[in-house]
Amino acid sequence: MKNKWKSGFLLLLGINLLIIISLLIMLMMPVDQEEIQHTELKGDHVTFEVKSNKADLNKLINQYMEKEIADSPIEYQVQLRDEVELHGTLPFFSQQLNLKLTFEPEALDNGDLVLKQKSISIGSMDLPVSYVLKFIRDNYKLPKGVDILPNDKLVYVNMQQLKIKSDIKIQANEFDLKNNNISFTLLVPVE
């Protein structure tokens, strides 16, 4: 009977020592550290993905244009519907003529936005697109970064040249107005 107790005691002591040694080994082992994933900076900027809708973007665009072209003789505003519509008035002698331009937007791989001209009308009369675009380019103040290319019948919006507070830059990722799917990347300086 003495051997049973002695064997049981030694077995229990061995199990306890094994548990203590295992715990000490686990405590002494270095912690597995996963490599921290750093978001790649584009220059000295961090990026944020932003999704928007037509209603909010309409407000933002028109507020921006109001500040940028406050001293322009032509008054206009942008409406995002299934396409980009620019509505304005054009002084003609003592009258104000209604102006409507429609564009089909396309986000480019470099983050810029191209507005392909679909139609131009003054009052109820349709006019030649390239002639009117050239007239607007030559005679009216446009925000910095907006270039009109009359021969190509398009407006090129260099998104990174748009003047925004805090030196934030914008890149257009998707500009699908029919499905109300609009997304941008904001590039915020980290200095």
Side-chain angles (χ1 to χ4, degrees):
M1 186 125 171
K2 261 186 165 181
N3 283 343
K4 265 187 170 176
W5 286 102
K6 189 176 181 183
S7 299
F9 174 74
L10 290 176
L11 181 63
L12 187 58
L13 181 63
I15 291 173
N16 284 337
L17 285 174
L18 186 63
I19 290 173
I20 291 172
I21 292 172
S22 297
L23 287 174
L24 286 174
I25 289 174
M26 287 194 292
L27 288 173
M28 300 290 185
M29 288 181 66
V31 177
D32 287 339
Q33 293 182 350
E34 292 183 27
E35 189 173 317
I36 298 173
Q37 299 293 323
H38 293 284
T39 305
E40 191 171 316
L41 297 177
K42 293 186 178 191
D44 294 331
H45 295 82
V46 293
T47 61
F48 295 95
E49 300 294 322
V50 177
K51 286 196 168 280
S52 188
N53 59 49
K54 290 185 267 192
D56 290 342
L57 205 51
N58 275 329
K59 291 177 192 174
L60 184 65
I61 290 170
N62 286 308
Q63 179 187 15
Y64 177 79
M65 287 179 56
E66 206 172 279
K67 290 179 183 177
E68 283 294 309
I69 58 168
D71 58 348
S72 177
I74 185 173
E75 293 180 26
Y76 55 92
Q77 66 175 347
V78 172
Q79 290 295 313
L80 301 178
R81 295 196 171 113
D82 282 347
E83 52 197 21
V84 177
E85 296 179 1
L86 185 135
H87 297 272
T89 57
L90 188 63
F92 184 71
F93 296 110
S94 62
Q95 299 290 321
Q96 293 291 323
L97 301 176
N98 292 324
L99 172 71
K100 180 182 176 186
L101 294 88
T102 58
F103 301 92
E104 185 177 318
E106 178 186 346
L108 301 178
D109 291 338
N110 67 358
D112 290 343
L113 193 62
V114 170
L115 303 173
K116 296 177 184 173
Q117 182 65 52
K118 289 183 76 176
S119 68
I120 293 179
S121 61
I122 295 180
S124 62
M125 182 172 51
D126 290 332
L127 296 172
V129 172
S130 58
Y131 174 77
V132 175
L133 286 178
K134 183 179 180 332
F135 180 78
I136 291 171
R137 181 193 66 192
D138 295 343
N139 293 298
Y140 297 105
K141 181 181 177 186
L142 298 168
K144 183 181 177 185
V146 177
D147 297 315
I148 295 179
L149 306 170
N151 293 337
D152 298 326
K153 299 179 182 178
L154 58 86
V155 176
Y156 189 89
V157 182
N158 186 328
M159 300 297 283
Q160 298 208 24
Q161 284 185 9
L162 296 179
K163 187 177 175 184
I164 299 177
K165 291 181 182 179
S166 303
D167 294 328
I168 294 174
K169 306 291 183 198
I170 300 175
Q171 292 180 339
N173 298 332
E174 191 165 355
F175 213 86
D176 181 2
L177 295 177
K178 291 179 181 163
N179 296 313
N180 206 15
N181 190 7
I182 302 165
S183 66
F184 297 96
T185 299
L186 297 181
L187 301 163
V188 181
V190 291
E191 290 183 20

